[in-house]
Amino acid sequence: MDLQHWLRLAVTAVERWQDSFAPFGRHPSLHVSDEAFAGALGAFTGRLRDNYPYFHPSYAGQMLKPPHPAAVAGYLAAMLINPNNHALDGGPATSAMEKETVAQLAAMFGMGTHLGHLTSSGTIANLEALYVARELHPGAGIAYSAEAHYTHARMCHVLGIPGTTVPADSLGRLDVGALDAQLAGGRIGTVVATAGTTGLGAIDPVHEILAVARRHGVRVHVDAAYGGFFTLLAALPGPAGPGPSEPGPAGLDPAPWRAIAECDSVVVDPHKHGLQPYGCGAVLFRDPAVGRFYRHDSPYTYFTSDELHLGEISLECSRAGAAAAALWLTFQLLPPRPDGLGRVLAAGRRAALEWSRLLGESDRVRLYQPPELDIVCYFPVTDPASLAAIDQASARMLAAGMGDPADPVFLSTLSVPAADFARRHPGVAAGGDRARILRSVLMKPESEDWVPRLHARIEALAAGWRPC
Ligand SMILES: Cc1ncc(COP(=O)(O)O)c(C=O)c1O
C-alpha cells in the first residue's frame, strides 16, 4: 500500500466535506509560517529517530508494532474532524462505527447479546470490568493468577477490592485446583482468567475456571487484552459454548476460547493484535443489564438522541472517535475472522513454534517453556549453570544485541522467580530470588521469514561473538 497516496486521498475527502460549509477565515493567532513549521518539523522528526525499529523483524522484543496503513488512514481522516465518541452529537459517524466494531468483537468471541465499548487501553477496559464486578458483589474479593497482568492487583487497590493471587501451574496457567480451594472459602466474587498472559503467552483454562466458578456462584472475567484475537485460530465464531476439546485448525485447543462466550466479561486490545495505534482497548459484558452501573446525569450531553450514547456506558468521558474509525476501516479489509486478521496472527504463531523448534536443538540457548501463542522465552546456556549466571548473560545479550551498529537485534527480558525457573529447569543451580531471561513477542507476520536469522543472532550473542 502506498501510504502517501492513500493519506492524500483521505485528507482530500475530509477537505471536500469541509468545503461544503460556508467559507470563513482562519484566525491569525493560529498562523505559523512554512519556514517556522519546516524548522520545528525537522527537529521533531529528528527526535523521532530516537526509537527502536518496531516495524522491523529485527525488533523481537515487547508487544510493539506500527498500525496497519488502513488504520493510519482511518485515524488521520477522522482526526481531522476530531469526533468525540462520548455522546452522539460529539461523533455520530464514529459512534456508529464503534458500535459496529464492538459487535464484530462480540461475534468473534461467540457472544450473542452483549454490552461493550472501546476504551483507551487494556488497563481502563479491565478497570471497568473489575468495577462492574465490585458493584455486583460488593465486599467480595477478586482472584487472579500469579501470572496475571499487574493491572489487576493495581486496579483492585484503586477500587478498594481485596485482590487474591492464585498460584500458576508449571506452564504459567492458573492452577484450577488451587482456585477451587480458594473459592470454597466464600470470600471471592469474581475470578479473572487470562487468555494469553503477558509474560509467557500462557492460556488459562477458561473452560475449567468457568465450571469451578459457577459451582461456587462466582463470576468470571477474561483478560484477553493480549491474546483475545488468537481465538480466530482456535475456534470458529458462533455461540458454541464450552464443548469437547477438538484442536482448532492451528492446533490450538478451542475449549478455553469457546468458553469466553459464557463468561461474564472479556477485554481485548485492538491496539495489540488488532493492527491499531495506541488508544484502542475494548471491554464487553455478556449481560447488557450491567449498563445500570454506569448510570449518571450529564447536563451537557446526550441531548441529540434517545439512542444509546457511548458515554452512558463508559467510565471515560472524552474518547477518540478516530480510534473507532481506524478500527472500523481496518476491519473492512482485515475482519476479525480466521481468513482475515486470523492469517496475520497465524504467521506470528508459526514463527514462535518454528523458533522454539530451533531453540530445542540449540546447545547455546535453551527454551524456557514451549510457546502457546507468539511469545517465545529463552535463556543462554551458561557455565556454571546457575540462575545468577543466566541473569547476567541475558542482560549482556540484550545490551549487546541492541548495541551492535552493524546488525542490531532488539529483545526484551522477563524477570522470573527462582521457584518458577526451577520447576521448568531443575538442573540449574539457584542463586538469587529471580533471574532475567530473554523474551520475544513475534507479533509481526514478517517475523516468520526472519526466524532463522533471529535464531542465528541469538546463538551468536550467547556465544559472545557475531558471525561475519
Ligand atoms: C493480559 C494483559 N492485560 C492488560 C494489559 C494492559 O493493557 P494496556 O497496556 O493496553 O493498558 C496488558 C498489556 O500488555 C496485557 O498483556
Side-chain angles (χ1 to χ4, degrees), residues 368 377-380 382 386-399 412-418 421 431 433-439:
Y368 181 65
C377 295
Y378 46 95
F379 58 94
T382 57
S386 73
L387 264 192
I390 288 167
D391 178 79
Q392 290 304 309
S394 297
R396 186 184 55 73
M397 284 172 67
L398 178 84
S412 69
T413 59
L414 174 69
S415 170
V416 295
F421 197 102
D433 295 341
R434 312 183 67 90
R436 281 166 291 180
I437 60 170
L438 293 159
R439 169 173 167 271

Side-chain angles (χ1 to χ4, degrees), residues 63 120-124 126 149 151-152 194 196-198 223-227 267 269 271-272 278:
M63 283 170 205
S120 59
S121 67
T123 297
I124 298 299
N126 277 301
H149 194 275
T151 196
H152 296 290
T194 305
T197 60
T198 316
D223 181 0
Y226 150 68
V267 158
D269 272 0
H271 70 198
K272 293 191 171 64
Y278 284 113

